[in-house]
Amino acid sequence: MSKKIAIVGAGWMAAYHVAGFRGAGAEVVAIVDKSPAAAKTASQKYSVDKTFTEPKELFAAIKDLDAVSIITPNAFHHPLVMEALAAGKHVFCEKPPALNAADVTQMVDAAKKAGKILMFNFNNRARPESYAMRKYFESGAVGRVNSAQAAWIRRNGIPGFGGWFTTKKLSGGGPLIDLLHMVDLALHFMGYPEPAYVLGQTFSDHIDDPQFKGPWGIPDVKDGITDVEAAAHAFVTFKTGQVLTLRNSWAEMNEREVVSVVFQGQKAGGKVQRLFRVDGIDATSIDSCELYTQENGCPVNRTIITEPDETMGRTRSAKNFALVLEDKEAPLNVPSEAVKLMKIIDGVYASAKSGKPIEL
Ligand SMILES: NC(=O)c1ccc[n+]([C@@H]2O[C@H](COP(=O)([O-])OP(=O)(O)OC[C@H]3O[C@@H](n4cnc5c(N)ncnc54)[C@H](O)[C@@H]3O)[C@@H](O)[C@H]2O)c1
């Protein structure tokens, strides 16, 4: 029998989750949103009959529900994941996993105790470029990754002013926590080592300047709060001796928007990158995947050809969750990785505040 999944949070990201779950043969049985209007609009858009404003109504009404997909603003990930696990449901949760590592640890422990699957939407691991690059790691062609540089640098990409994205209490922070995808992908390529120390700095230049707003039409909230960083830079060391440099921004004087992981392995280096013809607009993306090797005495740069995927793995990532429920695929991420990732994010904020390196 097909798995039954409900969507909690009917924003624009729901489209990818619905497509991915259906692509795996799962059934999307309900939409939950605290705004009845948003739930209704989404139920019509995705042809889903049932809508609710609270998860508890969902759990009472659909007893054979298998899983929920949480796509709400970041501050609600932790309470909603805990509630779903307590109700005995598997959970797929949008990134970032929560506001901090302590909350993620509670979520991971609760999933273990409940014996339920908990996965996060680190969709860049589901990009065609990442599937291709993994084959080179698995074949031994890259060797250990000594060092990596993770970047999601936007030049003019503030997601509106005064809404949940720019309110630290609701988002957990600015681009460091919002654009954590490339840090996750770099850690994934590095084998998710245990972090040791982090030294970082954040900047809030341009964070209230309308010239630096992104192109997605996210409305500003009059008298709302904007108290997050505009850019973050950090250096992370690991207990294994590996190192990671990270650079994330919503607003910074860059040449253009760049989304990339570059790495240096013991046998080969490489890069997974997304550039844009129009910064921030997925439909104009230019994705690439490259490997740098030494062959027959020559430095060789290989271009790995992959299928285009404008969704940046978002649909494929949701499909992976639904296939994991059916035991038909291995999970693209495991909960303990989310704890390490959030420890690094917490560490960058702590280091920026104290001006000192932080032991993780
Ligand atoms: N993986 C990606 O590429 C990607 C891209 C964008 C956003 N996201 C993540 O998706 C999440 C949602 O972002 P968005 O841009 O879709 O937000 P959004 O503001 O467009 O939509 C959020 C929806 O959640 C509803 N909501 C808020 N609190 C709720 C609650 N407690 N219970 C039920 N519904 C609630 C709102 O009414 C709204 O309809 C965020 O965590 C964000 O970081 C991920």
Side-chain angles (χ1 to χ4, degrees):
M1 221 165 53
S2 61
K3 296 291 177 190
K4 292 184 164 56
I5 307 177
I7 301 289
V8 182
W12 71 281
M13 271 304 293
Y16 302 103
H17 290 230
V18 169
F21 299 150
R22 286 181 174 160
E27 215 183 317
V28 178
V29 292
I31 309 273
V32 182
D33 199 296
K34 69 174 185 154
S35 151
K40 190 164 175 237
T41 305
S43 79
Q44 286 164 349
K45 184 171 172 194
Y46 307 120
S47 307
V48 176
D49 291 341
K50 294 195 167 62
T51 61
F52 304 95
T53 52
E54 291 291 334
K56 61 176 186 293
E57 297 164 5
L58 164 77
F59 302 139
I62 306 181
K63 298 282 185 215
D64 59 349
L65 182 75
D66 295 289
V68 296
S69 183
I70 294 169
I71 326 176
T72 62
N74 307 344
F76 307 111
H77 293 182
H78 172 262
L80 289 168
V81 167
M82 296 301 278
E83 188 178 354
L85 289 170
K89 308 303 169 194
H90 302 293
V91 181
F92 187 56
C93 178
E94 260 305 335
K95 51 54 59 175
L99 298 188
N100 54 58
D103 283 357
V104 181
T105 303
Q106 276 187 12
M107 291 149 68
V108 172
D109 290 347
K112 221 179 276 169
K113 210 170 138 202
K116 295 292 160 190
I117 294 161
L118 171 61
M119 287 177 61
F120 298 100
N121 193 19
F122 297 131
N123 51 281
N124 278 264
R125 297 196 201 186
R127 286 168 65 165
E129 298 79 29
S130 302
Y131 275 103
M133 193 60 91
R134 262 194 300 275
K135 289 189 191 149
Y136 289 85
F137 284 106
E138 284 159 13
S139 73
V142 175
R144 186 182 94 140
V145 172
N146 287 337
S147 46
Q149 298 79 47
W152 193 321
I153 49 176
R154 285 188 185 146
R155 179 173 180 156
N156 303 73
I158 299 172
F161 300 96
W164 72 262
F165 274 107
T166 62
T167 305
K168 193 169 172 73
K169 215 174 102 188
L170 294 175
S171 60
L176 175 61
I177 189 164
D178 179 41
L179 301 177
L180 48 58
H181 290 285
M182 290 302 113
V183 178
D184 170 71
L185 190 61
L187 291 167
H188 178 57
F189 288 165
M190 293 168 79
Y192 249 95
E194 197 65 50
Y197 292 92
V198 58
L199 178 62
Q201 183 60 289
T202 58
F203 298 91
S204 46
D205 303 67
H206 324 298
I207 193 63
D208 47 10
D209 183 344
Q211 294 181 88
F212 288 85
K213 184 171 167 165
W216 314 282
I218 298 175
D220 299 334
V221 177
K222 199 171 167 285
D223 302 326
I225 298 168
T226 296
D227 62 353
V228 297
E229 79 281 359
H233 297 249
F235 186 70
V236 189
T237 65
F238 297 86
K239 290 182 179 161
T240 50
Q242 292 159 285
V243 295
L244 170 71
T245 309
L246 75 87
R247 185 177 164 201
N248 283 9
S249 65
W250 281 344
E252 206 172 40
M253 300 296 184
N254 306 305
E255 183 190 2
R256 64 186 302 170
E257 180 165 356
V258 176
V259 186
S260 67
V261 170
V262 183
F263 60 83
Q264 296 75 43
Q266 288 179 320
K267 293 192 201 160
K271 175 163 78 175
V272 167
Q273 181 175 258
R274 166 164 287 200
L275 300 175
F276 300 86
R277 288 190 178 84
V278 180
D279 279 2
I281 304 297
D282 286 324
T284 71
S285 62
I286 311 157
D287 294 322
S288 59
C289 183
E290 293 178 352
L291 207 70
Y292 312 128
T293 62
Q294 188 73 15
E295 294 170 15
N296 303 316
C298 305
V300 174
N301 293 353
R302 294 193 209 161
T303 297
I304 303 167
I305 311 289
T306 54
E307 286 289 314
D309 178 10
E310 190 195 293
T311 82
M312 212 178 200
R314 291 179 183 125
T315 305
R316 185 64 184 87
S317 174
K319 183 176 182 180
N320 172 247
F321 173 73
L323 290 173
V324 171
L325 293 182
E326 299 260 20
D327 216 8
K328 289 184 179 160
E329 255 186 20
L332 279 172
N333 65 83
V334 294
S336 58
E337 294 168 340
V339 177
K340 288 181 195 169
L341 176 65
M342 290 308 296
K343 274 188 186 169
I344 292 172
I345 305 286
D346 288 357
V348 178
Y349 284 126
S351 177
K353 198 168 172 193
S354 67
K356 294 184 178 145
I358 303 291
E359 187 170 3
L360 298 172

